[in-house]
Amino acid sequence: MKNKFLKRLESEILVLDGATGTMLQKKRMKAGSCPEDLNLSNPAMIKEVHREYVEAGVNIITSNTFGGNRLKLSEYGLEGRLVEINTTAVKIAKEAASSAGSRGKKCLVMSTIGPTGKFLKPIGDLSFDDTYNIFKEQIYACVKAGADIIGFETFSDIKEIRAGLIAARDVSSDIPILAMMTFQTIRQAHDVNDMRTVVGTDPETACVVLNALGADLVGGNCSLGPEGLIEIFRRMNRISRKPLVFQPNAGMPELCNGVTCYPSSPETMAEYAVRFAKEGINIIGGCCGTTPEHLKAIVKAVKRIKPRKRKIQSYTSVSSRTKSVFFGYGKPPVRIGERINPTGKKLLSAELKDGNVSIIRDEAKRQADAGADILDVNVGAPGADEIKMMERGVFTVQDAVNLPLMLDSNNPSVLEAGLKASDGKVIINSVNGEEKSLKTILPLAKRYGAAVLGLALDEKGIPKSAVGRLKIADRILKRAVKIGIPKEDVLIDCLTLTVSAEPTQALETLKALKLIKDKLGLSTILGVSNVSFGLPSRPIINSAFLTMALESGLDASIINPMDSKMMEAFDASAVLIGKDIRADRYIKKYAQKTEVRSQKSEVEGKPEGIKDKLKKAIIEGDKEKIVALVNEALKEGMKPMDVSSSALIPGLEEVGRRFEKGIYFLPQIILSAETMQSAFGRLKLEFKKAEFTSLGKVVMATVQGDIHDIGKNIVCTLLQNYGFDVIDLGKNVPAKKILDEAVQRGADIVGLSALMTTTMVEMENVIKLFRSEGVEVPIMVGGAVLTRKYAEEIGADEYAKDAMEAVAKAKELLKKKNLVSHE
């Protein structure tokens, strides 16, 4: 099934259908009802929508299953009918698809899978296993019912879609899988716009992760119109090994005569479709606001355009949630920090045994600051719960820095715990030539989309000759490729032996590096510092060996980033072997090195006071230390309100500035907010009643018909941390209840949230009700589908594009309100 489908893409650009929600809204779907319930209660309406798209000439129609997972259906009390709802949805779509008749090939049916509406740990409460099971249950029902394709749409959390893709591939190894994420424009420093998901994943990183996890096509949908998504497409097109699929909105929503409308005409969408097609897209469709008229124009526009053959790059890649690293195959070499490893480290070993992660956090930050590109994570201390600590260690490093990880253990259960906890694509350290290792480790790498480090040893130990190591490397490669791991994701470690004990083996390792490059063409990796064990002034030997290894073809070096000699040797060697073209990286790092060192020395010379420590803990989201620091501040005589106003709040404001510049993203915001909550919880025990006063009361609600509350919950958390008294009414809240609660509670501000284009119009109803009743409480609105223009059109007093802006706007509204009341 999959191969036939992919073969078709070589000669034909396929067209997906448009927005089911927009069409149901046009057909007067009852506001606040569950769209998926219509599969049972009004199948004729769903079939009519499908038929209109079939008649428009699309190649693929999407079943009405977007919110058909257990969590979404439970909002309507329908989780017990999950199988029936999804099965019926596929059946209706298949019936509509069979009506293609004289139009030619009948339509394929794609079961669309939407997000759960929850974040995974540690950002949210949902575990990886629970998420996997939620998706597996729905996907199994769709596949069993006869879906031709599984399509993931509108995902913003890379970890969530990872769980979904693994579940989909476990359900069927042969069904085609499409994976699309939703991006938004982020304002970065120097007024440069970037495009990322709400948790900070950029298009390149999305590509790296989705490519590795078994998706057959990758791309993006929703949030942006065609002009925005074509930029995302171009960025993905440069690096993706898989074909591309995109579904842009018909522009950003506007209010037209009291009804939500979209500005992009069928002609405009068709023009962009041609641009997508000529630049190499394989499947194109439409998202919010697109109708059969839009799709008919797109079908006509791309009908005679043949798919462009894309040039696929070779590279080894790994990623965190927000950053990808590419190396090997002619790209610059990378440095892997080795210091998160308890071997020979008594303090770290003791901390891991006690279940603590403070040293891991500190080491991660220090290595990142020193210039590491990837971090090795090893938590194998005697007496430690290695499975639990691998999960905690991965969570901690990912919170602290944005670097990709290498998971270091010989225990498959430990590795799997780390793979589930990881946000992006990691390296598994390691597999070797032993049959047991090949059988247990390689399937883990395949299933979780990881690269794998292969050690050139087997049951007989480490071969003395370079040729012997080459043979083991070849065995590992062949077994990896046989189960579907790309050649580019296999890294070979030729193994560094101690030169003081085996004088000839350093040169033999270098010979092995060259052989593996010449004969197998693989990326290579090496732990460098073993070479000098037992010798004095070890950095001298290490740096010389590193230079020789890089010249011999080394792509990734496992080193101590805090060793300046090693880092300098690495940077200089990259220039000399032609891997740092025009010495760009070298110049950037060393041109002003003396000045930077001088400035750093001045800063390091100043003792860090308790206020600075508290502020830093909030900025870094250091939940482990914050309460102890608050206790230290109180012990030094600081008043509770001073702790809050002069240390904690400034820290949170710095987090806001970093978020505004695109340096921080939602996970860091949430972590800092949780750290603030811990600090504030301790301070509340010290507050005298008269000492603490709320900035104001804010009533928050997701409007009627909308069951999404992630964004609203984040806004509530931040408002509370900034000193507002927040009354959270929850989701799907009727206008009358919002009004009554605002009046009864004496609200200073009302905040309204909506995520769906079908429910954003309810905000206007709430505002009209307030005004008709003479309740002049300022109303602030927000949500992914909203724009500032739309907020102004419905009469909102303020619009906030994200949680940090919501805090700023709330303060402005209070200031205006107080000014008016004093006049």
Side-chain angles (χ1 to χ4, degrees):
M1 187 193 307
K2 183 170 72 171
N3 290 339
K4 185 179 179 181
F5 175 75
L6 295 175
K7 187 71 177 174
R8 184 177 174 185
L9 295 180
E10 294 177 8
S11 59
E12 186 180 358
I13 293 172
L14 301 185
V15 180
L16 265 165
D17 62 11
T20 301
T22 297
M23 293 301 293
L24 292 177
Q25 192 176 6
K26 284 177 178 288
K27 295 182 185 300
R28 301 289 187 264
M29 178 183 72
K30 184 181 176 183
S33 63
C34 174
E36 289 73 30
D37 187 40
L38 292 171
N39 298 326
L40 307 180
S41 63
N42 196 345
M45 181 188 286
I46 301 300
K47 194 168 186 177
E48 186 179 351
V49 172
H50 290 325
R51 275 182 176 155
E52 289 183 31
Y53 282 121
V54 169
E55 289 167 6
V58 303
N59 306 106
I60 305 168
I61 57 174
T62 53
S63 61
N64 184 34
T65 51
F66 180 78
N69 64 68
R70 179 166 294 277
L71 280 185
K72 286 287 186 70
L73 292 177
S74 68
E75 301 289 346
Y76 302 97
L78 293 169
E79 65 272 26
R81 305 187 75 181
L82 182 148
V83 173
E84 184 184 7
I85 285 170
N86 285 279
T87 300
T88 305
V90 175
K91 181 181 177 183
I92 295 168
K94 297 283 274 189
E95 288 173 357
S98 68
S99 66
S102 61
R103 197 184 48 75
K105 294 179 181 176
K106 100 176 162 179
C107 287
L108 298 171
V109 171
M110 180 174 84
S111 281
T112 176
I113 308 296
T116 61
K118 303 290 184 184
F119 283 121
L120 275 69
K121 294 178 180 179
I123 305 174
D125 298 322
L126 208 56
S127 73
F128 182 93
D129 286 339
D130 286 344
T131 309
Y132 166 87
N133 289 325
I134 287 165
F135 285 126
K136 188 175 182 180
E137 178 183 38
Q138 182 190 8
I139 293 165
Y140 180 80
C142 292
V143 171
K144 189 176 180 183
D148 301 304
I149 304 166
I150 293 296
F152 291 88
E153 294 184 341
T154 326
F155 279 75
S156 59
D157 185 352
I158 194 73
K159 183 176 283 187
E160 183 181 30
I161 199 170
R162 280 184 75 235
L165 283 166
I166 292 168
R169 204 40 88 203
D170 283 353
V171 169
S172 172
S173 61
D174 193 40
I175 194 167
I177 298 174
L178 279 58
M180 289 174 275
M181 302 198 73
T182 183
F183 299 88
Q184 59 188 24
T185 302
I186 304 290
R187 178 70 67 184
Q188 290 194 310
H190 312 300
D191 285 336
V192 175
N193 284 331
D194 193 11
M195 292 176 182
R196 293 176 178 265
T197 72
V198 71
V199 300
T201 301
D202 58 278
E204 292 81 4
T205 295
C207 245
V208 166
V209 177
L210 301 178
N211 275 202
L213 280 165
D216 296 299
L217 286 94
V218 301
N221 76 300
C222 205
S223 288
L224 299 170
E227 69 284 351
L229 274 191
I230 200 165
E231 293 305 316
I232 305 263
F233 162 75
R234 285 168 178 158
R235 289 171 63 176
M236 285 188 163
N237 198 25
R238 284 194 286 268
I239 68 161
S240 181
R241 294 190 182 121
K242 302 293 180 73
L244 296 168
V245 52
F246 278 80
Q247 291 180 283
N249 287 349
M252 296 303 288
E254 299 174 356
L255 199 63
C256 308
N257 299 319
V259 179
T260 305
C261 63
Y262 291 80
S264 295
S265 66
E267 293 73 24
T268 300
M269 294 293 285
E271 288 171 9
Y272 272 100
V274 170
R275 291 170 65 180
F276 274 103
K278 287 184 175 179
E279 292 191 39
I281 204 165
N282 299 92
I283 299 180
I284 188 163
C287 205
C288 300
T290 55
T291 65
E293 288 74 26
H294 290 89
L295 271 298
K296 187 175 182 180
I298 290 172
V299 168
K300 184 178 179 182
V302 303
K303 188 174 183 180
R304 287 183 168 78
I305 302 176
K306 292 295 181 185
R308 180 180 174 185
K309 192 166 184 180
R310 297 170 54 248
K311 186 177 180 182
I312 308 299
Q313 289 189 45
S314 290
Y315 54 77
T316 299
S317 63
V318 288
S319 80
S320 63
R321 183 183 61 248
T322 60
K323 180 180 182 179
S324 293
V325 172
F326 301 89
F327 58 100
Y329 300 89
K331 296 187 179 300
V334 296
R335 297 156 291 202
I336 301 176
E338 66 183 5
R339 290 183 58 81
I340 303 175
N341 188 322
T343 304
K345 299 183 179 74
K346 291 182 180 179
L347 288 178
L348 179 54
S349 293
E351 184 174 86
L352 290 169
K353 186 178 179 181
D354 292 340
N356 297 324
V357 289
S358 293
I359 293 175
I360 288 179
R361 177 184 292 277
D362 292 342
E363 283 289 3
K365 292 189 72 64
R366 289 178 66 212
Q367 291 183 96
D369 291 342
D373 302 296
I374 300 166
L375 295 182
D376 184 77
V377 179
N378 184 318
V379 293
D385 183 339
E386 196 176 351
I387 293 175
K388 177 183 174 182
M389 294 313 296
M390 178 58 86
E391 179 187 66
R392 287 202 67 194
V394 169
F395 284 164
T396 299
V397 175
Q398 289 176 161
D399 285 341
V401 299
N402 69 343
L403 300 183
L405 305 182
M406 181 162 75
L407 307 181
D408 189 352
S409 176
N410 57 12
N411 184 329
S413 297
V414 173
L415 289 172
E416 188 159 26
L419 288 162
K420 289 178 180 179
S422 299
D423 288 334
K425 179 183 176 184
V426 305
I427 303 170
I428 289 177
N429 182 7
S430 55
V431 69
N432 61 55
E434 294 183 31
E435 188 61 26
K436 181 181 176 182
S437 178
L438 294 169
K439 281 184 175 179
T440 55
I441 304 301
L442 290 181
L444 277 179
K446 169 61 178 171
R447 185 166 195 258
Y448 290 94
V452 63
L453 184 160
L455 299 175
L457 61 84
D458 58 14
E459 296 90 343
K460 298 176 183 177
I462 303 172
K464 294 294 184 182
S465 72
V467 171
R469 296 180 208 182
L470 172 67
K471 287 179 180 178
I472 295 174
D474 187 46
R475 189 190 316 159
I476 293 170
L477 173 62
K478 284 176 178 173
R479 289 290 290 271
V481 170
K482 186 176 180 180
I483 68 167
I485 298 173
K487 173 182 177 179
E488 292 86 354
D489 285 346
V490 178
L491 297 82
I492 296 298
D493 187 338
C494 297
L495 299 167
T496 304
L497 301 179
T498 304
V499 72
S500 59
E502 301 187 67
T504 63
Q505 282 302 301
L507 285 177
E508 207 63 34
T509 295
L510 298 179
K511 287 180 189 175
L513 277 174
K514 290 178 180 178
L515 273 178
I516 284 164
K517 276 291 178 189
D518 293 343
K519 302 293 185 182
L520 303 180
L522 295 178
S523 291
T524 55
I525 188 169
L526 208 58
V528 176
S529 56
N530 280 349
V531 73
S532 64
F533 189 77
L535 293 174
S537 300
R538 292 183 64 189
I540 298 173
I541 295 288
N542 291 344
S543 58
F545 182 63
L546 173 61
T547 299
M548 297 168 73
L550 288 167
E551 194 278 330
S552 297
L554 183 65
D555 296 301
S557 56
I558 305 172
I559 60 176
N560 176 8
M562 314 311 295
D563 185 334
S564 60
K565 277 189 168 52
M566 290 288 279
M567 296 296 277
E568 288 165 358
F570 183 97
D571 294 329
S573 298
V575 176
L576 296 173
I577 63 176
K579 293 293 179 67
D580 182 1
I581 305 301
R582 296 181 298 278
D584 288 341
R585 294 201 304 178
Y586 184 87
I587 291 169
K588 184 178 179 181
K589 183 172 180 179
Y590 294 98
Q592 297 176 324
K593 188 170 181 181
T594 304
E595 181 183 345
V596 170
R597 274 185 174 169
S598 175
Q599 291 172 352
K600 188 176 180 183
S601 179
E602 280 182 40
V603 172
E604 288 176 347
K606 297 177 183 177
E608 193 176 36
I610 187 58
K611 287 184 181 180
D612 293 328
K613 290 179 183 178
L614 285 163
K615 181 179 176 181
K616 182 180 178 183
I618 295 295
I619 293 169
E620 295 180 355
D622 195 344
K623 289 193 290 185
E624 288 84 11
K625 293 180 181 176
I626 191 65
V627 172
L629 289 172
V630 170
N631 286 333
E632 185 181 336
L634 295 172
K635 190 175 180 180
E636 288 185 12
M638 285 185 72
K639 292 182 178 179
M641 281 306 296
D642 287 341
V643 173
S644 177
S645 61
S646 65
L648 302 181
I649 292 295
L652 209 53
E653 287 173 344
E654 175 59 26
V655 170
R657 281 190 286 272
R658 294 185 184 191
F659 180 77
E660 180 65 25
K661 290 179 179 179
I663 299 168
Y664 270 17
F665 301 98
L666 187 57
Q668 288 98 334
I669 294 291
I670 294 175
L671 186 62
S672 291
E674 290 174 349
T675 305
M676 182 75 169
Q677 279 183 323
S678 297
F680 211 64
R682 173 63 186 90
L683 287 177
K684 277 184 178 178
L685 302 176
E686 305 294 326
F687 282 138
K688 296 174 185 175
K689 204 162 190 180
E691 191 177 10
F692 175 72
T693 55
S694 166
L695 290 180
K697 285 185 180 179
V698 183
V699 167
M700 292 288 299
T702 301
V703 296
Q704 187 170 22
D706 203 318
I707 60 169
H708 301 86
D709 62 354
I710 290 180
K712 184 259 300 170
N713 292 345
I714 294 165
V715 173
C716 289
T717 299
L718 287 187
L719 287 171
Q720 287 170 337
N721 286 329
Y722 273 89
F724 288 91
D725 183 9
V726 178
I727 300 101
D728 183 2
L729 303 182
K731 53 200 170 190
N732 194 19
V733 186
K736 185 68 166 59
K737 182 177 180 181
I738 297 172
L739 175 72
D740 291 345
E741 290 286 346
V743 172
Q744 184 181 337
R745 305 287 191 111
D748 297 297
I749 301 170
V750 169
L752 303 178
S753 173
L755 187 68
M756 299 160 59
T757 56
T758 53
T759 57
M760 56 194 279
V761 291
E762 178 64 18
M763 289 178 164
E764 185 179 20
N765 295 334
V766 177
I767 293 169
K768 284 181 176 177
L769 179 62
F770 269 69
R771 302 308 175 233
S772 67
E773 294 291 326
V775 179
E776 295 299 325
V777 179
I779 296 178
M780 177 170 61
V781 299
V785 294
L786 264 69
T787 62
R788 192 173 303 281
K789 181 181 177 183
Y790 187 89
E792 291 170 355
E793 289 172 343
I794 63 175
D797 296 284
E798 272 297 355
Y799 159 80
K801 71 178 187 296
D802 53 53
M804 292 305 303
E805 188 170 272
V807 173
K809 295 299 182 185
K811 289 181 177 180
E812 288 177 17
L813 285 173
L814 276 184
K815 190 175 180 182
K816 290 177 186 175
K817 185 178 179 185
N818 291 333
L819 284 173
V820 171
S821 65
H822 291 319
E823 287 177 354

